Amino acid sequence: MSTPFDPAAVVAEFIDRVAPYDPQPEVAPVAVVGVRTALGEATFAVGDHVIRAMCKALEAYRDPDDRGTCAECGSRRLDDNLHCRECGRLHGILGEVIAHHARRVAAEDAT
């Protein structure tokens, strides 16, 4: 189970970490970021430097459960062993070895 956190506090901490490096801190804010959760809500007026940093951070994020796309059905639901939860295909080196062996056995059975 994950530890609960306050998204508004996380956004505020991010802004606090990034804002000191704004080369033009006197310039008026260019965006307002709002966060509303069961814990409450908060709005943050941010300058260009902060909103760009926030966008770069969001673009760079990769979900730890992202293991790629199934080559068979296109699903993005691969488990820790690269086994597709949708169609059952096994990916990765082990999956390739098993698939190669299965093709070889099928070819031998066909003759």
Side-chain angles (χ1 to χ4, degrees):
M1 177 176 245
S2 63
T3 305
F5 61 94
D6 179 0
V10 172
V11 171
E13 290 168 9
F14 179 86
I15 292 168
D16 288 345
R17 283 194 313 270
V18 174
Y21 304 103
D22 188 343
Q24 299 176 317
E26 70 284 348
V27 175
V30 298
V32 175
V33 175
V35 179
R36 182 182 297 167
T37 68
L39 300 174
E41 62 182 73
T43 57
F44 307 93
V46 294
D48 184 68
H49 181 78
V50 171
I51 200 68
R52 286 179 183 273
M54 194 173 289
C55 289
K56 287 179 181 179
L58 290 169
E59 285 177 344
Y61 177 79
R62 297 297 175 257
D63 194 295
D65 291 330
D66 183 356
R67 294 175 191 88
T69 304
C70 177
E72 188 73 27
C73 71
S75 169
R76 297 193 54 83
R77 295 177 35 89
L78 302 180
D79 67 14
D80 288 340
N81 296 313
L82 302 180
H83 183 252
C84 180
R85 295 177 186 154
E86 301 296 326
C87 72
R89 179 174 175 163
L90 187 59
H91 294 75
I93 294 172
L94 178 58
E96 290 301 316
V97 169
I98 292 170
H100 177 70
H101 178 69
R103 283 190 298 271
R104 189 175 66 233
V105 168
E108 289 172 2
D109 287 347
T111 57

